[in-house]
Amino acid sequence: PTQPKRLFDTIEAVLPELLEEDGAVETWTEPPPPVPPTVKLVDEKELLDRVSGSREFLKQLIGMLFDGLPKRLTALGEAISHQDPVALEDAAHSLKGALSNLTATPAAEAAAKLEQCGAAAQFEQASDAYDELIRQLARLRPALFALADKKPTKVDSDATAEGLRAFHQAHL
């Protein structure tokens, strides 16, 4: 089973090195700026509904996203540096889908901008869009972990039980 905390600690330790070696991005030297309270990084209710309230399943989904993130970011960086519009569009589209599945709208929108840059072969704008994606991912990580690790309330527990019953009835 995926151990998200361990996975993210490893990614956090290795990602800046990998990206620096590949020339994909400069390493972060300071934490991302705080997110204004009006910006919703994740639609918590929708995301919990999508996983039938299962925080364990949510942790697995988060782990899958961030497990593949170094490879995805490297592919995006290489597509930009090699000015390969098809590779940029494809890699950005794939990441946009993964982020959308987790209701991470601001990060998905940043990936969509990269996808549009690829479709239009706009590589100067792609560099800025890539930087924005990195900022959004840095903000997203703690928000997702906080949601996955949050202790369920009585309402969450009831919703989870109800969701699991509905899931089993639909799939049995």
Side-chain angles (χ1 to χ4, degrees):
T2 303
Q3 297 175 352
K5 171 97 172 92
R6 186 172 166 205
L7 173 66
F8 287 108
D9 288 345
T10 303
I11 289 172
E12 202 169 77
V14 174
L15 183 62
E17 268 180 40
L18 290 175
L19 293 175
E20 198 171 294
E21 286 173 13
D22 293 336
V25 295
E26 295 178 21
T27 56
W28 298 304
T29 55
E30 57 188 57
V35 179
T38 57
V39 174
K40 240 176 137 176
L41 298 175
V42 177
D43 183 335
E44 292 183 15
K45 183 181 179 332
E46 174 65 24
L47 182 53
L48 288 171
D49 285 348
R50 289 182 183 190
V51 297
S52 299
S54 172
R55 292 183 194 274
E56 284 305 311
F57 183 53
L58 177 57
K59 286 178 185 180
Q60 290 178 354
L61 290 177
I62 294 167
M64 288 171 33
L65 170 70
F66 284 96
D67 187 36
L69 195 55
K71 185 176 179 180
R72 289 176 189 240
L73 292 176
T74 298
L76 288 167
E78 287 177 355
I80 293 169
S81 66
H82 292 112
Q83 297 195 353
D84 184 340
V86 174
L88 178 58
E89 185 176 9
D90 289 348
H93 179 79
S94 173
L95 183 55
K96 177 185 75 174
L99 293 166
S100 294
N101 286 335
L102 291 172
T103 71
T105 303
E109 288 172 352
K113 286 180 187 172
L114 267 174
E115 182 182 16
Q116 293 165 358
C117 289
Q122 297 174 331
F123 294 101
E124 284 185 29
Q125 292 89 342
S127 292
D128 291 339
Y130 183 87
D131 291 343
E132 178 59 20
L133 175 63
I134 296 297
R135 281 190 291 278
Q136 290 300 329
L137 291 170
R139 291 180 177 124
L140 177 63
R141 180 184 176 279
L144 284 174
F145 267 117
L147 178 59
D149 289 335
K150 187 175 172 185
K151 297 278 187 232
T153 63
K154 172 85 170 103
V155 173
D156 288 340
S157 297
D158 290 346
T160 299
E162 187 177 313
L164 289 174
R165 278 193 295 278
F167 177 82
H168 287 295
Q169 288 175 348
H171 293 89
L172 293 179

